[in-house]
Amino acid sequence: KVRDAESLMFAYLTGARKHGVMNLTTEDIDFKNKQIHLRETKTKTSDRFIPISKELEDFLKSLDLSKKYLFRLSDWKEKKMIDSISEICGFRVMFKDMRTTYATKLRESGIAPEIVKKWLGHSSYGITEKYYVKISQAFENKEIEKLNLLNFTTQNTTQNK
């Protein structure tokens, strides 16, 4: 287990920016209404509420919720955590990668573009699509399978005459 990796896991499960992760307080988590208030300051839409999935709820309940700030890390601790995870993965991992992965997983699971945009705190889906959603080869292969089920040259014989 990598020390302080919980902050990166939270980013992975929510798509939150680093600023939103580091400033998350226990008051921002509303288990009753299953939502989190992300107080990010990049744009007007950055300050937002996101839903708490079952996986995220289980993760949050495993944390020490007695602290005011859940993920406060010094620059040094953050660098050490990122370096450790990057070494394990074999490539450089950053907070932004968690946000991109979250956006991609949402779109590949069929969640509507407008919802993805809202949960990421973007004012336009164009930003989400251009910079955050990276369609995986595995997903594209599944979509090709759907294409192979289509028949463009045969007419539907059950049409009314």
Side-chain angles (χ1 to χ4, degrees), residues 3-64:
R3 185 182 168 117
D4 299 316
E6 291 89 358
S7 60
L8 208 58
M9 179 57 91
F10 180 81
Y12 175 73
L13 293 172
T14 63
R17 292 178 182 95
K18 184 173 112 173
H19 178 82
V21 173
M22 296 303 169
N23 289 305
L24 184 74
T25 67
T26 51
E27 292 92 35
D28 294 328
I29 301 169
D30 181 353
F31 286 110
K32 181 180 176 202
N33 294 307
K34 296 201 177 291
Q35 65 182 11
I36 294 174
H37 187 187
L38 286 178
R39 300 172 194 275
E40 297 178 350
T41 58
K42 188 171 181 182
T43 66
K44 287 180 185 178
T45 54
S46 293
D47 188 275
R48 65 198 181 278
F49 290 89
I50 60 167
I52 296 177
S53 67
K54 177 67 176 133
E55 185 176 14
L56 178 56
E57 182 177 12
D58 292 343
F59 169 73
L60 290 169
K61 287 182 176 179
S62 75
L63 300 174
D64 178 5

Side-chain angles (χ1 to χ4, degrees), residues 30-153:
D30 181 353
F31 286 110
K32 181 180 176 202
N33 294 307
K34 296 201 177 291
Q35 65 182 11
I36 294 174
H37 187 187
L38 286 178
R39 300 172 194 275
E40 297 178 350
T41 58
K42 188 171 181 182
T43 66
K44 287 180 185 178
T45 54
S46 293
D47 188 275
R48 65 198 181 278
F49 290 89
I50 60 167
I52 296 177
S53 67
K54 177 67 176 133
E55 185 176 14
L56 178 56
E57 182 177 12
D58 292 343
F59 169 73
L60 290 169
K61 287 182 176 179
S62 75
L63 300 174
D64 178 5
L65 298 175
S66 66
K67 303 183 292 186
K68 178 175 172 111
Y69 291 97
L70 271 66
F71 306 113
R72 281 288 166 105
L73 298 178
S74 66
D75 290 342
W76 179 84
K77 276 187 171 183
E78 179 190 335
K79 181 185 178 333
K80 191 169 174 76
M81 181 260 302
I82 293 289
D83 288 347
S84 296
I85 292 174
S86 296
E87 186 176 326
I88 291 166
C89 292
F91 56 89
R92 189 77 182 146
V93 175
M94 297 172 25
F95 270 93
K96 186 178 184 295
D97 297 329
M98 302 303 104
R99 189 166 166 78
T100 300
T101 302
Y102 178 75
T104 300
K105 287 178 79 68
L106 292 178
R107 283 301 295 130
E108 288 185 350
S109 70
I111 293 178
E114 285 298 311
I115 298 298
V116 177
K117 170 193 78 109
K118 178 182 176 187
W119 291 348
L120 288 178
H122 291 155
S123 57
S124 131
Y125 184 70
I127 300 287
T128 308
E129 190 71 24
K130 184 175 181 180
Y131 297 108
Y132 292 93
V133 176
K134 311 291 183 207
I135 300 302
S136 69
Q137 189 61 53
F139 180 75
E140 186 174 357
N141 290 343
K142 286 181 184 176
E143 295 301 295
I144 290 169
E145 288 175 23
K146 291 178 189 176
L147 176 66
N148 289 331
L149 296 175
L150 297 176
N151 191 336
F152 290 102
T153 58

